[in-house]
Amino acid sequence: MIIIDSPSHDAYFNIALEEYLLYHYPTEDIFLLYINAPSIIVGKFQNTLAEINLDYVTENNIKVVRRMSGGGAVYHDLGNLNFSFHTLLGQNDFMDFSTFTEPVVKLLNDLNVPAKLEGRNDLLVDGKKFSGNAKLARNGKMIQHGTILFNSDMSVLGDALKINPLKYVDKAIKSNRARVINLIEYFPNEMTTDELKALLIDELLATNEGATIYHLTTEDLNGVAKLIEEKYQTWDWNFGFSPKYNFKNAKKIPAGFIEVHLDVERGGTIEKAKIFGDFFASEPIEVLENKLVGVKHNDKEIAKVLNSVDVTDYFGKVTIDEILELFR
């Protein structure tokens, strides 16, 4: 087994690193550890916009990244330790989550923290969740990865993942907002996330004969950078990959009440747009609706459409920002 302590806190880097290792180290057993700066990691099959508070995420520069595995959305920050096991497919039962959570449970139990695996894939302490785990199988390998809430900012976690459920109707996988807890509460003496990471590395070195620390090479770093550029920092992957959904939003502004309905196809492209309200328009609203068809459902592309017209022709005395907010 090789043990990798990621040199980066960038969520784009660390999620891309998991995929890079999958394809470039196809026969190696790997244990990867990383800590991300504030970010939201969404499951592969989720509708990103229906999982996050987009305004809050944008205002607070929180990165949003889609991972390769299924499951729900999670919030990461510097108080959250993430671990990832890579092993050959077939060596372990795909639905067995206990094998790769056991080192975490053992270490915490040795530190007098009553952690245990409950249900299918969650680690709990005193009935509260501190770790969720997900899996994927690809390229002849299996990856199980999980989070450890150690000293995360819970207020940000709640705000970043808070969304109005009335805005989105889709068949995407929904996140289960379980009761969660920071493990720092169980440590009477101060401990940092980095110190917990070092202890977990020591645990793996001690219990896996032949395990060694591996440092990423320049070739590795360049390969990860290429994946980031082509996939993991792109809107098409992080947002556009979402399944087909219906979106609606309404707002009362000085010009009147406005309600927006969108049918968005897979890939994040608006298939149909309808706008209702008690506003006064000098131009047919159908003209603007047609201009939105074929446009990606994101601020940048919709803003281009709104800037290409005089929005007061369609809504009266409004600003572009007031109208753009209806599409979030």
Side-chain angles (χ1 to χ4, degrees), residues 18 66 72 103-104 117 119 158 163 211 240 258 275-276 280 284 324:
E18 286 203 301
R66 186 184 300 278
V104 177
L117 176 67
I163 187 66
I258 305 175
I275 302 173
F276 307 96
F280 296 100
L324 189 58

Side-chain angles (χ1 to χ4, degrees), residues 41-281:
I41 314 301
V42 299
K44 182 178 180 180
F45 308 111
Q46 292 192 293
N47 176 2
T48 302
L49 288 171
E51 293 295 327
I52 67 173
N53 180 342
L54 183 61
D55 289 340
Y56 184 90
V57 166
T58 302
E59 290 167 7
N60 290 276
N61 297 312
I62 297 173
K63 289 183 176 179
V64 178
V65 193
R66 186 184 300 278
R67 63 178 182 267
M68 292 184 293
S69 63
V74 290
Y75 173 72
H76 289 179
D77 63 14
L78 297 178
N80 186 308
L81 177 61
N82 306 283
F83 61 93
S84 178
F85 283 94
H86 300 219
T87 189
L88 289 175
L89 188 61
Q91 288 185 343
N92 299 93
D93 178 3
F94 184 75
M95 294 310 297
D96 172 23
F97 282 85
S98 62
T99 298
F100 299 113
T101 54
E102 194 275 335
V104 177
V105 172
K106 180 180 181 301
L107 171 64
L108 292 174
N109 290 169
D110 289 345
L111 294 169
N112 297 317
V113 179
K116 58 182 176 178
L117 176 67
E118 290 194 11
R120 183 182 62 176
N121 60 335
D122 293 334
L123 296 181
L124 279 67
V125 58
D126 292 336
K128 295 181 181 179
K129 178 178 173 179
F130 68 88
S131 174
N133 292 263
K135 280 193 177 183
L136 69 104
R138 193 176 301 172
N139 197 40
K141 294 195 82 174
M142 179 178 73
I143 295 178
Q144 178 174 318
H145 46 197
T147 64
I148 299 175
L149 281 171
F150 186 71
N151 194 15
S152 188
D153 189 332
M154 292 294 194
S155 64
V156 176
L157 185 156
D159 289 336
L161 293 174
K162 187 186 299 179
I163 187 66
N164 181 353
L166 300 179
K167 283 188 179 183
Y168 296 89
V169 178
D170 56 49
K171 295 182 180 179
I173 304 298
K174 306 299 181 187
S175 294
N176 178 19
R177 306 287 187 241
R179 288 191 308 159
V180 296
I181 190 170
N182 272 317
L183 289 182
I184 192 68
E185 298 181 23
Y186 288 84
F187 290 89
N189 299 317
E190 286 192 16
M191 180 185 288
T192 68
T193 312
D194 280 320
E195 288 170 340
L196 179 65
K197 179 174 64 173
L199 288 174
L200 192 51
I201 290 174
D202 288 343
E203 175 71 24
L204 267 294
L205 287 171
T207 55
N208 289 270
E209 186 177 353
T212 58
I213 303 294
Y214 177 79
H215 298 284
L216 299 175
T217 66
T218 300
E219 181 182 355
D220 293 330
L221 295 174
N222 289 339
V224 174
K226 187 172 186 290
L227 259 181
I228 294 171
E229 181 181 0
E230 295 178 350
K231 182 176 182 178
Y232 283 97
Q233 69 179 9
T234 68
W235 184 91
D236 285 346
W237 171 249
N238 294 323
F239 290 86
F241 189 82
S242 300
K244 184 174 183 177
Y245 60 89
N246 303 110
F247 169 90
K248 66 177 180 179
N249 195 15
K251 187 179 180 182
K252 182 75 169 68
I253 61 176
F257 178 79
I258 305 175
E259 185 173 335
V260 170
H261 290 246
L262 303 175
D263 292 343
V264 183
E265 61 188 11
R266 182 163 189 150
T269 302
I270 297 172
E271 187 176 36
K272 183 180 179 181
K274 292 298 296 180
I275 302 173
F276 307 96
D278 60 3
F279 50 87
F280 296 100

